[in-house]
Amino acid sequence: MNNWGIIGVGRIGLSMARNMSSKGISLSLYDKTFQKKSDSIFKEKKLYSDLKKTFVFKDISSFVKSIKKPRKVLILVPTGNPNDSVISNLIKILDEGDILIDAGNTNPVISLKNKLKTKKNKILYLGMGVSGGVDGVLKGPSIMIGGDINAFNQVKDDFSLITSKTIDNTFSFDLFGDSNQGHFIKMIHNGIEYVEMQLIASMYKLLIDSNNYNNQEIAEIFNEWNNSEQKSYLMDISIKQILEKIENKYLIEKIDDVADDNGTGRWMLNYGIELGCSTNMLSSAINTRFISKLKDDRSKISKMVNKSSKKYSVDTKSLSKAYQFCRLVNYIQSFCLINAANKDYNWNINISKVLNVWSSGSIIKSSLINDLYSNYSVENILSDKEIIKELNGYKPDLISIITLSLENDISIPCFGNALNYFNSISSKTLSTNMIQAQRNFFGSHPIKIN
Ligand code: 6PG
């Protein structure tokens, strides 16, 4: 009998299996593709010695029977229909007291529904967000869990074996309330990830289009930042990708200028709308991916619009401060959304605990996360005088970078959103008295007076 079962042995599932098996956890593996081509996993088994404690099953019932009771089954199947159907099938076969863990990028709303489905059969449910990608999951992912405390207590010792050490010297996993809250935190993680990625992409664009820097020089600028307090995993991999060559050409120049998404950022935007919180930086990052898909239109319109093509210089010190400004606002917006969810849904997500779990193994791990954890009032970020002072100090640099981009017709998504947010949040008066007056005029909506 094996200690655990994993369903879904794609790239992430394989990394998870290698990680767990290398820590001495015996595993049953099932993937629907095994029915047709189980030979591929046997090839992997030969390739990776750390898979020696894994056992492959071609049908789900013998897979389930091979796991020690109470069974612990980890599902790493893509969100949507594939994930739904695995969970529905599994519920029929598992026994009372078994633990079903959905480790996909699942929408928090679906996660709650899954919990209710499993509850009927007295199966314990954990909704679990996993960050780290193929390499991170192999070496010690960041794991955000929601759900049954009794189930959590039964898995936590094994999770300490497969995760990594965090900033507070614990392990990179934790329990955050009910089943959907783990997936909610993973969704917020992904929203932060989208913005961080877009900020780096925007800076690369501003620098390369200036005709003043080549890839090597841009990598050196980023590297200098990455060797200081602006270190991050995403900056690290971006530098590597900027320098990557294929057939003597930079890979980045050959890659199609179109970006997809898996939906997590869209869900976060929806939560922002539902909870009445500004996530304008994320909105800009996602919209850029949407616009990127209009490739033919972009190409046609670009021929009709004259754009500046002059050489310009970029003050990289200003750029670095503008970047720091935007990164801080990205976290402020995410923390405000968590607080709004805590308030409206009566949750109790502790932001320090979240940062601790993100500080190691996650895609957004960075010195900034460690700094926020150690030096800021993250639970009440808008009352933190230091962060406001800091933003105010960086603001002139951000303005000069945005101005440069406007003068040269370069689109640098997310930067302007951060500035607008800060200008609004730091304004005693906004334009909303006029909105009230207009609503009152055409809809007789009551006016609130000072
Ligand atoms: C992680 C990532 C991962 C996510 C990819 C792709 O933390 O390991 O967030 O879970 O699936 O980053 O996301 P998009 O396809 O939406 O860019």
Side-chain angles (χ1 to χ4, degrees), residues 341-379:
N342 279 342
K343 191 159 165 247
D344 271 44
Y345 308 143
N346 217 4
W347 291 353
N348 199 13
I349 297 174
N350 180 284
I351 295 174
S352 289
K353 261 172 71 169
V354 173
L355 289 172
N356 181 50
V357 169
W358 288 345
S359 70
S360 185
S362 79
I363 296 291
I364 59 170
K365 67 183 173 190
S366 65
S367 320
L368 178 57
I369 288 203
N370 295 4
D371 193 26
L372 286 163
Y373 177 87
S374 310
N375 301 318
Y376 293 82
S377 319
V378 289
E379 311 300 334

Side-chain angles (χ1 to χ4, degrees), residues 171-195:
F171 290 98
S172 54
F173 73 97
D174 217 328
L175 179 69
F176 300 92
D178 206 352
S179 64
N180 51 350
Q181 292 174 44
H183 282 135
F184 179 85
I185 294 165
K186 177 64 191 350
M187 175 197 76
I188 302 274
H189 166 285
N190 280 26
I192 293 171
E193 172 188 297
Y194 279 41
V195 173

Side-chain angles (χ1 to χ4, degrees), residues 105 130-133 186 189-190 193-194 260-264 289 363:
N105 268 325
V130 181
S131 177
K186 177 64 191 350
H189 166 285
N190 280 26
E193 172 188 297
Y194 279 41
D260 272 330
D261 69 290
N262 68 11
T264 42
R289 296 193 189 192
I363 296 291

